[in-house]
Amino acid sequence: MIPRSLSTRLSLYGLVGVGAAAVHALALLVLGGLMPLWLANPLAFLAASLASYLGHSRFTFQPETGGQRFARRWLILQYVVNLTVSGVLPLALPGWLPSGADVAVLVFTPTVLNALIWSKAARFSLQRRQGERVIPLRHADDLGLSQAANTAILALAQAGQLDGTSLLVNGPAAAEGAEAWRSLTEHRPTLQLCLHLCLTEGPSSAVPELIPDLVNRQGHLHRSFGSWLLLSLLPRRHPERVRVVAQLRREIDAQIKQFQALGGHGSIALDGHQHIHLVPVVLEAVLDRAHSAGITWVRSTDEPLPTGLPLRCWWQACRDAGLLKWLILQLLSWRARAHLQRCGLSTNAGFAGVLFTGHMAGAPLLAAWRELSSLGAKAQHTAPLLLAHPGAPLDQNLADAGFTVSQAFAASPWRQREWRALATLTPLPDQSSG
């Protein structure tokens, strides 16, 4: 229960609203003398929105927020909604409304929408503050891609800073990585090894002649993520889809056998290189053999937007197409969820690692850790998963082994930054709010 009466809440809401209106008027008065009114008014409204954002979080909904600011997403939502309503509503009002009624609609519609937005923001803050805390699982992809990746991943696991990794069975250093990981599990049996399904680069696991549409002349897998996604849009009985899916099944079966040969005994946890396993046509092929192959867990990328990040980080996410990747994979994870449930497969309760792919260090890593630790446990789900790609300095050309796409990524100094960041990441969730 929130110890604040409705009358007190309404009074504070009104006082903050009056204060925001005063800020709007003052800003409009000042800016109106410096620029055209069409530009001054949105800027003045932004100042008013900021005032209500701060006022409602610190005073009106203080029991829910603890006096902390709302997440900035609520300010952006309030601003966009109000500008849209202010622009569209006058055009949408029916002509038969009396003059007093149309004024009331124009005034009170934004007020009601704002009340709903700030109330939702307050509930969001309360859930973050009072929700059950969990410790996210720390996971590294690309074991087997190179000796550099193996070195970092094995060192982190040895130090107790990793809970699992994903094995790239067609990687140049897969055998060495798998053998070293098996040695670690003798002392830490809870360490998880996942099959990192790869369909976009590297040598095929199936005989190349049996999968001609999936490989190039060198026998290297070459269909891109976008190509697999476009294939999923074709009708199920389209000749190209039927032909390629048959070859896809052969390659998946071959990678499963290779994973088992490298020590992946028992049930299989599966994810995908470049998250290829979530592409509909690939996911369907995986689920079709889940029972026979012993697949019991498939990774989802249902990633909540973190709070408390500097604006420069959001600019980086937009510039590096992280936000676009996040949106695509959110949709694919949402689609996959029902299929996984229907097949009785488990998945992770939350995820972080797409929005800032390749840059999981510093503020993005800490914000993701806080966000995942606040999600709480879910029935029939494993703990939230925090993903990174740590690596030592790369001393080989991965393109020679068919990993052209991963070459620049693996050679980036960010691999060492992620290694250092994971090495110092506390195993206890940060309880501070962002």
Side-chain angles (χ1 to χ4, degrees), residues 242-396:
V242 171
R243 185 180 69 255
V244 174
V245 166
Q247 298 175 33
L248 167 64
R249 294 172 184 273
R250 297 189 189 107
E251 178 62 23
I252 293 176
D253 288 339
Q255 291 196 24
I256 290 174
K257 290 179 181 178
Q258 196 169 351
F259 178 73
Q260 293 169 333
L262 289 171
H265 302 300
S267 61
I268 295 177
L270 182 142
D271 52 49
H273 189 52
Q274 300 164 359
H275 310 290
I276 196 68
H277 66 293
L278 291 174
V279 173
V281 70
V282 178
L283 182 64
E284 291 169 11
V286 168
L287 296 182
D288 284 346
R289 62 215 352 93
H291 179 71
S292 60
I295 299 171
T296 59
W297 182 92
V298 173
R299 184 166 78 194
S300 68
T301 56
D302 188 7
E303 181 173 5
L305 292 174
T307 59
L309 275 173
L311 291 178
R312 60 178 173 79
C313 293
W314 290 110
W315 166 246
Q316 174 187 316
C318 295
R319 181 195 62 198
D320 297 340
L323 200 57
L324 177 61
K325 295 175 187 174
W326 174 86
L327 179 59
I328 293 171
L329 288 168
Q330 283 290 101
L331 293 172
L332 293 178
S333 281
W334 173 80
R335 179 189 179 279
R337 192 179 303 125
H339 294 281
L340 295 177
Q341 290 176 349
R342 187 169 60 251
C343 293
L345 271 61
S346 179
T347 188
N348 43 302
F351 178 85
V354 168
L355 191 61
F356 295 99
T357 297
H359 298 86
M360 289 295 285
L365 180 69
L366 295 177
W369 182 258
R370 287 195 303 267
E371 195 71 25
L372 293 183
S373 68
S374 70
L375 292 181
K378 292 182 180 180
Q380 299 179 339
H381 286 70
T382 58
L385 195 70
L386 185 142
L387 175 67
H389 297 79
L394 187 68
D395 58 0
Q396 66 184 109

Side-chain angles (χ1 to χ4, degrees), residues 72-192:
R72 283 192 298 265
R73 68 193 64 173
W74 300 105
L75 171 63
I76 296 172
L77 177 64
Q78 191 260 0
Y79 187 64
V80 171
V81 167
N82 275 266
L83 281 183
T84 302
V85 169
S86 298
V88 173
L89 194 58
L91 303 176
L93 287 176
W96 49 263
L97 278 178
S99 59
D102 60 3
V103 171
V105 170
L106 292 173
V107 171
F108 287 107
T109 297
T111 302
V112 171
L113 291 174
N114 288 340
L116 292 174
I117 291 171
W118 299 133
S119 297
K120 181 69 175 176
R123 289 194 295 272
F124 177 86
S125 299
L126 182 63
Q127 180 183 2
R128 286 292 191 277
R129 293 180 62 234
Q130 295 185 351
E132 178 186 356
R133 298 280 171 171
V134 298
I135 299 178
L137 298 173
R138 295 155 295 174
H139 193 89
D141 271 359
D142 294 345
L143 180 70
L145 176 62
S146 64
Q147 292 296 344
N150 289 357
T151 297
I153 292 171
L154 294 168
L156 287 167
Q158 181 70 46
Q161 291 298 102
L162 273 185
D163 300 291
T165 188
S166 297
L167 177 64
L168 199 65
V169 296
N170 64 339
E176 300 94 319
E179 182 179 358
W181 189 263
R182 286 198 305 272
S183 298
L184 284 177
T185 58
E186 293 177 2
H187 306 285
R188 288 189 62 198
T190 57
L191 285 172
Q192 184 183 44

Side-chain angles (χ1 to χ4, degrees), residues 12-26 47-49 51-52:
L12 288 171
Y13 192 90
L15 287 173
V16 172
V18 170
V23 169
H24 190 169
L26 180 61
S49 296
S52 64

